[in-house]
Amino acid sequence: MSNYMQIKPSRELYKNAAKSFTQALEELDPTSLYRDDALLSSTDAFQRQLKRFDIRVSGPDSDPVEKFFSTADSAALFPEYVSRAIRTGMEENDILPSILAATTNINGMDYRSIAAKSGDGTAAADVIEGATIPSTVISTQENLIRLTKRGRLVVSSYEAVRFQKLDIFTVALKQVGASIMAAHIADAVDVLINGDGNGNAAETVSVTQSGQLAYNDLIALWGKFDPYEMNTLLVSNTDMQKILKLEEFKDPATGLNFQATGRLTTPLGAKLIRCSAVPEGKIVALDRRYALEMVRAGDIRMDTDRLIDRQLERAAVTSIAGFAKIMPEAVYVLTLS
């Protein structure tokens, strides 16, 4: 039996640290009830509340911001709308899935990652009868992983935005999300290069001729990864252009792929990612399957009561995360200077 019209959204649904607003709504209005409803089967509990209050957040016919504040119940939906718009901005500018081996969600601020060490290497060896089996020791790191709060302060008066259409307001909020994600990416790159405080900074490899990148330098970098695989390169905009100008990069198949799809690959088969967080003169090479772990302490947080009661004014939006090196041997830095 459909019951989304009887649900009462309130600020109390934001106060459970273990559940998001949408998860709390889902408990009151399970999506499973609508699997046979052609119009509502593809919606979640929050989207059904938008439908209930006839709030259109996208498209040329989107409503103005003030539509959220037409009733006390619909005003309670506004922080979730802001959160979703910011999260969309983060996801659209997120390169982390291309460099993360694992993501860990925690409820506190203290976290120790693990490291695998073996004096006999990581390969499985032949063991004769009665001989000792080579071991790989997996232990926690000595130092805690540093978690950093990244955020932005959204400052605006209700009077300034009340008549603004939600479609364009979403674009502004997505830019906030993009800024937060850029800070997280910078943290990730810093850990890849300098380590996470456990003596695991990346080994540095220099080019043959200072300041000049040659194809042979990329070959030498590739050779460092045995038994790992160099499958990702993080490069600044300036150094990306140097790679693209290499004669060997002008392979017809590579050029056609770039021209047709905009996707860059190197002649060595690694994914080439332009990243402004990488310092000029450095190329970060990694095996994304083993290099980096992301640790997140909760989801996006914001001043919910302020968004409902004071209708924006000043609202802090924050995200807490840190990064840990898993296998130091899966990351190298090629320096051009």
mmCIF file with all atom_site columns, all heavy atoms in Angstrom, residues 63-90:
data_model
loop_
_atom_site.group_PDB
_atom_site.id
_atom_site.type_symbol
_atom_site.label_atom_id
_atom_site.label_alt_id
_atom_site.label_comp_id
_atom_site.label_asym_id
_atom_site.label_entity_id
_atom_site.label_seq_id
_atom_site.pdbx_PDB_ins_code
_atom_site.Cartn_x
_atom_site.Cartn_y
_atom_site.Cartn_z
_atom_site.occupancy
_atom_site.B_iso_or_equiv
_atom_site.pdbx_formal_charge
_atom_site.auth_seq_id
_atom_site.auth_comp_id
_atom_site.auth_asym_id
_atom_site.auth_atom_id
_atom_site.pdbx_PDB_model_num
ATOM 1   N N   . ASP A 1 63 ? 11.444 24.432 -10.491 1.00 0.00 ? 63 ASP A N   1
ATOM 2   C CA  . ASP A 1 63 ? 10.820 25.405 -9.591  1.00 0.00 ? 63 ASP A CA  1
ATOM 3   C C   . ASP A 1 63 ? 11.866 26.339 -8.988  1.00 0.00 ? 63 ASP A C   1
ATOM 4   O O   . ASP A 1 63 ? 13.061 26.017 -8.957  1.00 0.00 ? 63 ASP A O   1
ATOM 5   C CB  . ASP A 1 63 ? 10.085 24.670 -8.466  1.00 0.00 ? 63 ASP A CB  1
ATOM 6   C CG  . ASP A 1 63 ? 8.836  23.974 -8.957  1.00 0.00 ? 63 ASP A CG  1
ATOM 7   O OD1 . ASP A 1 63 ? 8.020  24.631 -9.617  1.00 0.00 ? 63 ASP A OD1 1
ATOM 8   O OD2 . ASP A 1 63 ? 8.691  22.759 -8.695  1.00 0.00 ? 63 ASP A OD2 1
ATOM 9   N N   . PRO A 1 64 ? 11.442 27.479 -8.466  1.00 0.00 ? 64 PRO A N   1
ATOM 10  C CA  . PRO A 1 64 ? 12.377 28.347 -7.742  1.00 0.00 ? 64 PRO A CA  1
ATOM 11  C C   . PRO A 1 64 ? 12.715 27.757 -6.385  1.00 0.00 ? 64 PRO A C   1
ATOM 12  O O   . PRO A 1 64 ? 11.993 26.892 -5.859  1.00 0.00 ? 64 PRO A O   1
ATOM 13  C CB  . PRO A 1 64 ? 11.605 29.661 -7.604  1.00 0.00 ? 64 PRO A CB  1
ATOM 14  C CG  . PRO A 1 64 ? 10.169 29.263 -7.677  1.00 0.00 ? 64 PRO A CG  1
ATOM 15  C CD  . PRO A 1 64 ? 10.113 28.091 -8.615  1.00 0.00 ? 64 PRO A CD  1
ATOM 16  N N   . VAL A 1 65 ? 13.786 28.239 -5.784  1.00 0.00 ? 65 VAL A N   1
ATOM 17  C CA  . VAL A 1 65 ? 14.237 27.734 -4.487  1.00 0.00 ? 65 VAL A CA  1
ATOM 18  C C   . VAL A 1 65 ? 13.141 27.863 -3.437  1.00 0.00 ? 65 VAL A C   1
ATOM 19  O O   . VAL A 1 65 ? 12.978 26.992 -2.577  1.00 0.00 ? 65 VAL A O   1
ATOM 20  C CB  . VAL A 1 65 ? 15.509 28.486 -4.036  1.00 0.00 ? 65 VAL A CB  1
ATOM 21  C CG1 . VAL A 1 65 ? 15.877 28.122 -2.602  1.00 0.00 ? 65 VAL A CG1 1
ATOM 22  C CG2 . VAL A 1 65 ? 16.667 28.177 -4.978  1.00 0.00 ? 65 VAL A CG2 1
ATOM 23  N N   . GLU A 1 66 ? 12.356 28.916 -3.497  1.00 0.00 ? 66 GLU A N   1
ATOM 24  C CA  . GLU A 1 66 ? 11.349 29.154 -2.467  1.00 0.00 ? 66 GLU A CA  1
ATOM 25  C C   . GLU A 1 66 ? 10.282 28.063 -2.406  1.00 0.00 ? 66 GLU A C   1
ATOM 26  O O   . GLU A 1 66 ? 9.574  27.942 -1.411  1.00 0.00 ? 66 GLU A O   1
ATOM 27  C CB  . GLU A 1 66 ? 10.683 30.512 -2.673  1.00 0.00 ? 66 GLU A CB  1
ATOM 28  C CG  . GLU A 1 66 ? 9.819  30.613 -3.897  1.00 0.00 ? 66 GLU A CG  1
ATOM 29  C CD  . GLU A 1 66 ? 9.063  31.942 -3.964  1.00 0.00 ? 66 GLU A CD  1
ATOM 30  O OE1 . GLU A 1 66 ? 9.165  32.714 -2.985  1.00 0.00 ? 66 GLU A OE1 1
ATOM 31  O OE2 . GLU A 1 66 ? 8.401  32.192 -4.980  1.00 0.00 ? 66 GLU A OE2 1
ATOM 32  N N   . LYS A 1 67 ? 10.174 27.229 -3.446  1.00 0.00 ? 67 LYS A N   1
ATOM 33  C CA  . LYS A 1 67 ? 9.166  26.155 -3.432  1.00 0.00 ? 67 LYS A CA  1
ATOM 34  C C   . LYS A 1 67 ? 9.429  25.189 -2.273  1.00 0.00 ? 67 LYS A C   1
ATOM 35  O O   . LYS A 1 67 ? 8.488  24.624 -1.697  1.00 0.00 ? 67 LYS A O   1
ATOM 36  C CB  . LYS A 1 67 ? 9.212  25.412 -4.769  1.00 0.00 ? 67 LYS A CB  1
ATOM 37  C CG  . LYS A 1 67 ? 8.101  24.372 -4.970  1.00 0.00 ? 67 LYS A CG  1
ATOM 38  C CD  . LYS A 1 67 ? 6.741  25.031 -5.119  1.00 0.00 ? 67 LYS A CD  1
ATOM 39  C CE  . LYS A 1 67 ? 5.662  24.001 -5.445  1.00 0.00 ? 67 LYS A CE  1
ATOM 40  N NZ  . LYS A 1 67 ? 5.744  23.488 -6.816  1.00 0.00 ? 67 LYS A NZ  1
ATOM 41  N N   . PHE A 1 68 ? 10.710 24.984 -1.922  1.00 0.00 ? 68 PHE A N   1
ATOM 42  C CA  . PHE A 1 68 ? 11.022 24.103 -0.803  1.00 0.00 ? 68 PHE A CA  1
ATOM 43  C C   . PHE A 1 68 ? 10.443 24.638 0.506   1.00 0.00 ? 68 PHE A C   1
ATOM 44  O O   . PHE A 1 68 ? 10.112 23.863 1.404   1.00 0.00 ? 68 PHE A O   1
ATOM 45  C CB  . PHE A 1 68 ? 12.540 23.942 -0.647  1.00 0.00 ? 68 PHE A CB  1
ATOM 46  C CG  . PHE A 1 68 ? 13.122 22.810 -1.432  1.00 0.00 ? 68 PHE A CG  1
ATOM 47  C CD1 . PHE A 1 68 ? 13.853 23.053 -2.582  1.00 0.00 ? 68 PHE A CD1 1
ATOM 48  C CD2 . PHE A 1 68 ? 12.955 21.496 -1.019  1.00 0.00 ? 68 PHE A CD2 1
ATOM 49  C CE1 . PHE A 1 68 ? 14.405 22.005 -3.305  1.00 0.00 ? 68 PHE A CE1 1
ATOM 50  C CE2 . PHE A 1 68 ? 13.497 20.443 -1.744  1.00 0.00 ? 68 PHE A CE2 1
ATOM 51  C CZ  . PHE A 1 68 ? 14.229 20.698 -2.887  1.00 0.00 ? 68 PHE A CZ  1
ATOM 52  N N   . PHE A 1 69 ? 10.310 25.944 0.634   1.00 0.00 ? 69 PHE A N   1
ATOM 53  C CA  . PHE A 1 69 ? 9.920  26.549 1.907   1.00 0.00 ? 69 PHE A CA  1
ATOM 54  C C   . PHE A 1 69 ? 8.445  26.939 1.949   1.00 0.00 ? 69 PHE A C   1
ATOM 55  O O   . PHE A 1 69 ? 8.036  27.747 2.782   1.00 0.00 ? 69 PHE A O   1
ATOM 56  C CB  . PHE A 1 69 ? 10.812 27.763 2.178   1.00 0.00 ? 69 PHE A CB  1
ATOM 57  C CG  . PHE A 1 69 ? 12.262 27.393 2.301   1.00 0.00 ? 69 PHE A CG  1
ATOM 58  C CD1 . PHE A 1 69 ? 13.119 27.531 1.208   1.00 0.00 ? 69 PHE A CD1 1
ATOM 59  C CD2 . PHE A 1 69 ? 12.778 26.876 3.472   1.00 0.00 ? 69 PHE A CD2 1
ATOM 60  C CE1 . PHE A 1 69 ? 14.450 27.170 1.299   1.00 0.00 ? 69 PHE A CE1 1
ATOM 61  C CE2 . PHE A 1 69 ? 14.108 26.512 3.580   1.00 0.00 ? 69 PHE A CE2 1
ATOM 62  C CZ  . PHE A 1 69 ? 14.950 26.651 2.486   1.00 0.00 ? 69 PHE A CZ  1
ATOM 63  N N   . SER A 1 70 ? 7.658  26.338 1.064   1.00 0.00 ? 70 SER A N   1
ATOM 64  C CA  . SER A 1 70 ? 6.227  26.635 1.057   1.00 0.00 ? 70 SER A CA  1
ATOM 65  C C   . SER A 1 70 ? 5.513  26.023 2.258   1.00 0.00 ? 70 SER A C   1
ATOM 66  O O   . SER A 1 70 ? 4.485  26.529 2.700   1.00 0.00 ? 70 SER A O   1
ATOM 67  C CB  . SER A 1 70 ? 5.586  26.142 -0.249  1.00 0.00 ? 70 SER A CB  1
ATOM 68  O OG  . SER A 1 70 ? 5.821  24.753 -0.422  1.00 0.00 ? 70 SER A OG  1
ATOM 69  N N   . THR A 1 71 ? 6.051  24.919 2.802   1.00 0.00 ? 71 THR A N   1
ATOM 70  C CA  . THR A 1 71 ? 5.516  24.308 4.021   1.00 0.00 ? 71 THR A CA  1
ATOM 71  C C   . THR A 1 71 ? 6.678  23.872 4.903   1.00 0.00 ? 71 THR A C   1
ATOM 72  O O   . THR A 1 71 ? 7.812  23.726 4.437   1.00 0.00 ? 71 THR A O   1
ATOM 73  C CB  . THR A 1 71 ? 4.638  23.072 3.719   1.00 0.00 ? 71 THR A CB  1
ATOM 74  O OG1 . THR A 1 71 ? 5.481  21.998 3.262   1.00 0.00 ? 71 THR A OG1 1
ATOM 75  C CG2 . THR A 1 71 ? 3.582  23.381 2.666   1.00 0.00 ? 71 THR A CG2 1
ATOM 76  N N   . ALA A 1 72 ? 6.389  23.630 6.178   1.00 0.00 ? 72 ALA A N   1
ATOM 77  C CA  . ALA A 1 72 ? 7.428  23.171 7.099   1.00 0.00 ? 72 ALA A CA  1
ATOM 78  C C   . ALA A 1 72 ? 7.936  21.790 6.706   1.00 0.00 ? 72 ALA A C   1
ATOM 79  O O   . ALA A 1 72 ? 9.125  21.489 6.835   1.00 0.00 ? 72 ALA A O   1
ATOM 80  C CB  . ALA A 1 72 ? 6.884  23.154 8.535   1.00 0.00 ? 72 ALA A CB  1
ATOM 81  N N   . ASP A 1 73 ? 7.056  20.935 6.226   1.00 0.00 ? 73 ASP A N   1
ATOM 82  C CA  . ASP A 1 73 ? 7.461  19.579 5.833   1.00 0.00 ? 73 ASP A CA  1
ATOM 83  C C   . ASP A 1 73 ? 8.362  19.609 4.600   1.00 0.00 ? 73 ASP A C   1
ATOM 84  O O   . ASP A 1 73 ? 9.376  18.905 4.537   1.00 0.00 ? 73 ASP A O   1
ATOM 85  C CB  . ASP A 1 73 ? 6.226  18.720 5.549   1.00 0.00 ? 73 ASP A CB  1
ATOM 86  C CG  . ASP A 1 73 ? 5.472  18.350 6.812   1.00 0.00 ? 73 ASP A CG  1
ATOM 87  O OD1 . ASP A 1 73 ? 6.039  18.531 7.909   1.00 0.00 ? 73 ASP A OD1 1
ATOM 88  O OD2 . ASP A 1 73 ? 4.316  17.882 6.702   1.00 0.00 ? 73 ASP A OD2 1
ATOM 89  N N   . SER A 1 74 ? 8.020  20.393 3.615   1.00 0.00 ? 74 SER A N   1
ATOM 90  C CA  . SER A 1 74 ? 8.853  20.440 2.404   1.00 0.00 ? 74 SER A CA  1
ATOM 91  C C   . SER A 1 74 ? 10.190 21.122 2.689   1.00 0.00 ? 74 SER A C   1
ATOM 92  O O   . SER A 1 74 ? 11.197 20.797 2.060   1.00 0.00 ? 74 SER A O   1
ATOM 93  C CB  . SER A 1 74 ? 8.116  21.168 1.278   1.00 0.00 ? 74 SER A CB  1
ATOM 94  O OG  . SER A 1 74 ? 7.807  22.504 1.639   1.00 0.00 ? 74 SER A OG  1
ATOM 95  N N   . ALA A 1 75 ? 10.237 22.033 3.648   1.00 0.00 ? 75 ALA A N   1
ATOM 96  C CA  . ALA A 1 75 ? 11.501 22.681 4.013   1.00 0.00 ? 75 ALA A CA  1
ATOM 97  C C   . ALA A 1 75 ? 12.501 21.668 4.552   1.00 0.00 ? 75 ALA A C   1
ATOM 98  O O   . ALA A 1 75 ? 13.716 21.825 4.385   1.00 0.00 ? 75 ALA A O   1
ATOM 99  C CB  . ALA A 1 75 ? 11.249 23.774 5.053   1.00 0.00 ? 75 ALA A CB  1
ATOM 100 N N   . ALA A 1 76 ? 12.001 20.612 5.193   1.00 0.00 ? 76 ALA A N   1
ATOM 101 C CA  . ALA A 1 76 ? 12.879 19.578 5.731   1.00 0.00 ? 76 ALA A CA  1
ATOM 102 C C   . ALA A 1 76 ? 13.589 18.799 4.633   1.00 0.00 ? 76 ALA A C   1
ATOM 103 O O   . ALA A 1 76 ? 14.580 18.105 4.891   1.00 0.00 ? 76 ALA A O   1
ATOM 104 C CB  . ALA A 1 76 ? 12.088 18.624 6.624   1.00 0.00 ? 76 ALA A CB  1
ATOM 105 N N   . LEU A 1 77 ? 13.109 18.906 3.402   1.00 0.00 ? 77 LEU A N   1
ATOM 106 C CA  . LEU A 1 77 ? 13.739 18.208 2.278   1.00 0.00 ? 77 LEU A CA  1
ATOM 107 C C   . LEU A 1 77 ? 14.928 18.990 1.718   1.00 0.00 ? 77 LEU A C   1
ATOM 108 O O   . LEU A 1 77 ? 15.763 18.436 0.999   1.00 0.00 ? 77 LEU A O   1
ATOM 109 C CB  . LEU A 1 77 ? 12.724 17.986 1.153   1.00 0.00 ? 77 LEU A CB  1
ATOM 110 C CG  . LEU A 1 77 ? 11.470 17.176 1.482   1.00 0.00 ? 77 LEU A CG  1
ATOM 111 C CD1 . LEU A 1 77 ? 10.524 17.182 0.295   1.00 0.00 ? 77 LEU A CD1 1
ATOM 112 C CD2 . LEU A 1 77 ? 11.837 15.747 1.876   1.00 0.00 ? 77 LEU A CD2 1
ATOM 113 N N   . PHE A 1 78 ? 15.016 20.273 2.033   1.00 0.00 ? 78 PHE A N   1
ATOM 114 C CA  . PHE A 1 78 ? 16.019 21.131 1.405   1.00 0.00 ? 78 PHE A CA  1
ATOM 115 C C   . PHE A 1 78 ? 17.462 20.696 1.673   1.00 0.00 ? 78 PHE A C   1
ATOM 116 O O   . PHE A 1 78 ? 18.270 20.651 0.738   1.00 0.00 ? 78 PHE A O   1
ATOM 117 C CB  . PHE A 1 78 ? 15.809 22.580 1.834   1.00 0.00 ? 78 PHE A CB  1
ATOM 118 C CG  . PHE A 1 78 ? 16.663 23.565 1.094   1.00 0.00 ? 78 PHE A CG  1
ATOM 119 C CD1 . PHE A 1 78 ? 16.521 23.753 -0.267  1.00 0.00 ? 78 PHE A CD1 1
ATOM 120 C CD2 . PHE A 1 78 ? 17.627 24.314 1.768   1.00 0.00 ? 78 PHE A CD2 1
ATOM 121 C CE1 . PHE A 1 78 ? 17.311 24.662 -0.954  1.00 0.00 ? 78 PHE A CE1 1
ATOM 122 C CE2 . PHE A 1 78 ? 18.421 25.224 1.086   1.00 0.00 ? 78 PHE A CE2 1
ATOM 123 C CZ  . PHE A 1 78 ? 18.261 25.401 -0.276  1.00 0.00 ? 78 PHE A CZ  1
ATOM 124 N N   . PRO A 1 79 ? 17.847 20.359 2.917   1.00 0.00 ? 79 PRO A N   1
ATOM 125 C CA  . PRO A 1 79 ? 19.236 19.926 3.131   1.00 0.00 ? 79 PRO A CA  1
ATOM 126 C C   . PRO A 1 79 ? 19.615 18.689 2.317   1.00 0.00 ? 79 PRO A C   1
ATOM 127 O O   . PRO A 1 79 ? 20.749 18.585 1.848   1.00 0.00 ? 79 PRO A O   1
ATOM 128 C CB  . PRO A 1 79 ? 19.282 19.632 4.639   1.00 0.00 ? 79 PRO A CB  1
ATOM 129 C CG  . PRO A 1 79 ? 18.200 20.476 5.216   1.00 0.00 ? 79 PRO A CG  1
ATOM 130 C CD  . PRO A 1 79 ? 17.114 20.466 4.188   1.00 0.00 ? 79 PRO A CD  1
ATOM 131 N N   . GLU A 1 80 ? 18.687 17.765 2.136   1.00 0.00 ? 80 GLU A N   1
ATOM 132 C CA  . GLU A 1 80 ? 18.992 16.574 1.340   1.00 0.00 ? 80 GLU A CA  1
ATOM 133 C C   . GLU A 1 80 ? 19.172 16.947 -0.123  1.00 0.00 ? 80 GLU A C   1
ATOM 134 O O   . GLU A 1 80 ? 20.043 16.395 -0.809  1.00 0.00 ? 80 GLU A O   1
ATOM 135 C CB  . GLU A 1 80 ? 17.876 15.539 1.486   1.00 0.00 ? 80 GLU A CB  1
ATOM 136 C CG  . GLU A 1 80 ? 18.063 14.279 0.661   1.00 0.00 ? 80 GLU A CG  1
ATOM 137 C CD  . GLU A 1 80 ? 19.261 13.436 1.076   1.00 0.00 ? 80 GLU A CD  1
ATOM 138 O OE1 . GLU A 1 80 ? 19.884 13.726 2.112   1.00 0.00 ? 80 GLU A OE1 1
ATOM 139 O OE2 . GLU A 1 80 ? 19.579 12.466 0.355   1.00 0.00 ? 80 GLU A OE2 1
ATOM 140 N N   . TYR A 1 81 ? 18.376 17.882 -0.613  1.00 0.00 ? 81 TYR A N   1
ATOM 141 C CA  . TYR A 1 81 ? 18.565 18.365 -1.980  1.00 0.00 ? 81 TYR A CA  1
ATOM 142 C C   . TYR A 1 81 ? 19.955 18.974 -2.134  1.00 0.00 ? 81 TYR A C   1
ATOM 143 O O   . TYR A 1 81 ? 20.671 18.702 -3.105  1.00 0.00 ? 81 TYR A O   1
ATOM 144 C CB  . TYR A 1 81 ? 17.489 19.398 -2.330  1.00 0.00 ? 81 TYR A CB  1
ATOM 145 C CG  . TYR A 1 81 ? 17.927 20.391 -3.376  1.00 0.00 ? 81 TYR A CG  1
ATOM 146 C CD1 . TYR A 1 81 ? 18.040 20.022 -4.717  1.00 0.00 ? 81 TYR A CD1 1
ATOM 147 C CD2 . TYR A 1 81 ? 18.264 21.703 -3.018  1.00 0.00 ? 81 TYR A CD2 1
ATOM 148 C CE1 . TYR A 1 81 ? 18.469 20.932 -5.669  1.00 0.00 ? 81 TYR A CE1 1
ATOM 149 C CE2 . TYR A 1 81 ? 18.693 22.612 -3.960  1.00 0.00 ? 81 TYR A CE2 1
ATOM 150 C CZ  . TYR A 1 81 ? 18.793 22.227 -5.289  1.00 0.00 ? 81 TYR A CZ  1
ATOM 151 O OH  . TYR A 1 81 ? 19.232 23.118 -6.235  1.00 0.00 ? 81 TYR A OH  1
ATOM 152 N N   . VAL A 1 82 ? 20.364 19.823 -1.187  1.00 0.00 ? 82 VAL A N   1
ATOM 153 C CA  . VAL A 1 82 ? 21.692 20.448 -1.228  1.00 0.00 ? 82 VAL A CA  1
ATOM 154 C C   . VAL A 1 82 ? 22.773 19.380 -1.200  1.00 0.00 ? 82 VAL A C   1
ATOM 155 O O   . VAL A 1 82 ? 23.743 19.421 -1.975  1.00 0.00 ? 82 VAL A O   1
ATOM 156 C CB  . VAL A 1 82 ? 21.863 21.428 -0.045  1.00 0.00 ? 82 VAL A CB  1
ATOM 157 C CG1 . VAL A 1 82 ? 23.299 21.938 0.019   1.00 0.00 ? 82 VAL A CG1 1
ATOM 158 C CG2 . VAL A 1 82 ? 20.895 22.595 -0.180  1.00 0.00 ? 82 VAL A CG2 1
ATOM 159 N N   . SER A 1 83 ? 22.612 18.391 -0.310  1.00 0.00 ? 83 SER A N   1
ATOM 160 C CA  . SER A 1 83 ? 23.599 17.320 -0.184  1.00 0.00 ? 83 SER A CA  1
ATOM 161 C C   . SER A 1 83 ? 23.735 16.536 -1.481  1.00 0.00 ? 83 SER A C   1
ATOM 162 O O   . SER A 1 83 ? 24.843 16.230 -1.922  1.00 0.00 ? 83 SER A O   1
ATOM 163 C CB  . SER A 1 83 ? 23.193 16.387 0.962   1.00 0.00 ? 83 SER A CB  1
ATOM 164 O OG  . SER A 1 83 ? 24.071 15.284 1.058   1.00 0.00 ? 83 SER A OG  1
ATOM 165 N N   . ARG A 1 84 ? 22.625 16.224 -2.115  1.00 0.00 ? 84 ARG A N   1
ATOM 166 C CA  . ARG A 1 84 ? 22.668 15.461 -3.361  1.00 0.00 ? 84 ARG A CA  1
ATOM 167 C C   . ARG A 1 84 ? 23.315 16.259 -4.492  1.00 0.00 ? 84 ARG A C   1
ATOM 168 O O   . ARG A 1 84 ? 24.068 15.701 -5.295  1.00 0.00 ? 84 ARG A O   1
ATOM 169 C CB  . ARG A 1 84 ? 21.254 15.027 -3.766  1.00 0.00 ? 84 ARG A CB  1
ATOM 170 C CG  . ARG A 1 84 ? 20.684 13.951 -2.859  1.00 0.00 ? 84 ARG A CG  1
ATOM 171 C CD  . ARG A 1 84 ? 19.411 13.361 -3.414  1.00 0.00 ? 84 ARG A CD  1
ATOM 172 N NE  . ARG A 1 84 ? 18.942 12.281 -2.559  1.00 0.00 ? 84 ARG A NE  1
ATOM 173 C CZ  . ARG A 1 84 ? 18.225 11.239 -2.992  1.00 0.00 ? 84 ARG A CZ  1
ATOM 174 N NH1 . ARG A 1 84 ? 17.902 11.140 -4.266  1.00 0.00 ? 84 ARG A NH1 1
ATOM 175 N NH2 . ARG A 1 84 ? 17.846 10.303 -2.153  1.00 0.00 ? 84 ARG A NH2 1
ATOM 176 N N   . ALA A 1 85 ? 23.028 17.534 -4.555  1.00 0.00 ? 85 ALA A N   1
ATOM 177 C CA  . ALA A 1 85 ? 23.632 18.361 -5.599  1.00 0.00 ? 85 ALA A CA  1
ATOM 178 C C   . ALA A 1 85 ? 25.140 18.442 -5.405  1.00 0.00 ? 85 ALA A C   1
ATOM 179 O O   . ALA A 1 85 ? 25.915 18.328 -6.363  1.00 0.00 ? 85 ALA A O   1
ATOM 180 C CB  . ALA A 1 85 ? 23.010 19.757 -5.584  1.00 0.00 ? 85 ALA A CB  1
ATOM 181 N N   . ILE A 1 86 ? 25.582 18.627 -4.165  1.00 0.00 ? 86 ILE A N   1
ATOM 182 C CA  . ILE A 1 86 ? 27.016 18.691 -3.876  1.00 0.00 ? 86 ILE A CA  1
ATOM 183 C C   . ILE A 1 86 ? 27.677 17.349 -4.156  1.00 0.00 ? 86 ILE A C   1
ATOM 184 O O   . ILE A 1 86 ? 28.770 17.275 -4.736  1.00 0.00 ? 86 ILE A O   1
ATOM 185 C CB  . ILE A 1 86 ? 27.241 19.126 -2.419  1.00 0.00 ? 86 ILE A CB  1
ATOM 186 C CG1 . ILE A 1 86 ? 26.833 20.590 -2.245  1.00 0.00 ? 86 ILE A CG1 1
ATOM 187 C CG2 . ILE A 1 86 ? 28.693 18.931 -2.000  1.00 0.00 ? 86 ILE A CG2 1
ATOM 188 C CD1 . ILE A 1 86 ? 26.852 21.084 -0.826  1.00 0.00 ? 86 ILE A CD1 1
ATOM 189 N N   . ARG A 1 87 ? 27.011 16.263 -3.774  1.00 0.00 ? 87 ARG A N   1
ATOM 190 C CA  . ARG A 1 87 ? 27.568 14.938 -4.023  1.00 0.00 ? 87 ARG A CA  1
ATOM 191 C C   . ARG A 1 87 ? 27.700 14.669 -5.519  1.00 0.00 ? 87 ARG A C   1
ATOM 192 O O   . ARG A 1 87 ? 28.676 14.063 -5.972  1.00 0.00 ? 87 ARG A O   1
ATOM 193 C CB  . ARG A 1 87 ? 26.684 13.870 -3.364  1.00 0.00 ? 87 ARG A CB  1
ATOM 194 C CG  . ARG A 1 87 ? 27.313 12.481 -3.363  1.00 0.00 ? 87 ARG A CG  1
ATOM 195 C CD  . ARG A 1 87 ? 26.416 11.447 -2.709  1.00 0.00 ? 87 ARG A CD  1
ATOM 196 N NE  . ARG A 1 87 ? 26.172 11.763 -1.306  1.00 0.00 ? 87 ARG A NE  1
ATOM 197 C CZ  . ARG A 1 87 ? 25.001 12.167 -0.823  1.00 0.00 ? 87 ARG A CZ  1
ATOM 198 N NH1 . ARG A 1 87 ? 23.967 12.313 -1.630  1.00 0.00 ? 87 ARG A NH1 1
ATOM 199 N NH2 . ARG A 1 87 ? 24.864 12.405 0.462   1.00 0.00 ? 87 ARG A NH2 1
ATOM 200 N N   . THR A 1 88 ? 26.731 15.139 -6.307  1.00 0.00 ? 88 THR A N   1
ATOM 201 C CA  . THR A 1 88 ? 26.813 14.985 -7.757  1.00 0.00 ? 88 THR A CA  1
ATOM 202 C C   . THR A 1 88 ? 28.029 15.722 -8.304  1.00 0.00 ? 88 THR A C   1
ATOM 203 O O   . THR A 1 88 ? 28.755 15.218 -9.170  1.00 0.00 ? 88 THR A O   1
ATOM 204 C CB  . THR A 1 88 ? 25.538 15.518 -8.428  1.00 0.00 ? 88 THR A CB  1
ATOM 205 O OG1 . THR A 1 88 ? 24.407 14.763 -7.972  1.00 0.00 ? 88 THR A OG1 1
ATOM 206 C CG2 . THR A 1 88 ? 25.627 15.411 -9.944  1.00 0.00 ? 88 THR A CG2 1
ATOM 207 N N   . GLY A 1 89 ? 28.274 16.936 -7.794  1.00 0.00 ? 89 GLY A N   1
ATOM 208 C CA  . GLY A 1 89 ? 29.456 17.684 -8.215  1.00 0.00 ? 89 GLY A CA  1
ATOM 209 C C   . GLY A 1 89 ? 30.737 16.968 -7.871  1.00 0.00 ? 89 GLY A C   1
ATOM 210 O O   . GLY A 1 89 ? 31.713 16.997 -8.644  1.00 0.00 ? 89 GLY A O   1
ATOM 211 N N   . MET A 1 90 ? 30.773 16.323 -6.717  1.00 0.00 ? 90 MET A N   1
ATOM 212 C CA  . MET A 1 90 ? 31.954 15.554 -6.327  1.00 0.00 ? 90 MET A CA  1
ATOM 213 C C   . MET A 1 90 ? 32.152 14.364 -7.267  1.00 0.00 ? 90 MET A C   1
ATOM 214 O O   . MET A 1 90 ? 33.258 14.099 -7.734  1.00 0.00 ? 90 MET A O   1
ATOM 215 C CB  . MET A 1 90 ? 31.821 15.071 -4.877  1.00 0.00 ? 90 MET A CB  1
ATOM 216 C CG  . MET A 1 90 ? 31.825 16.190 -3.844  1.00 0.00 ? 90 MET A CG  1
ATOM 217 S SD  . MET A 1 90 ? 31.604 15.603 -2.143  1.00 0.00 ? 90 MET A SD  1
ATOM 218 C CE  . MET A 1 90 ? 33.158 14.710 -1.876  1.00 0.00 ? 90 MET A CE  1
#
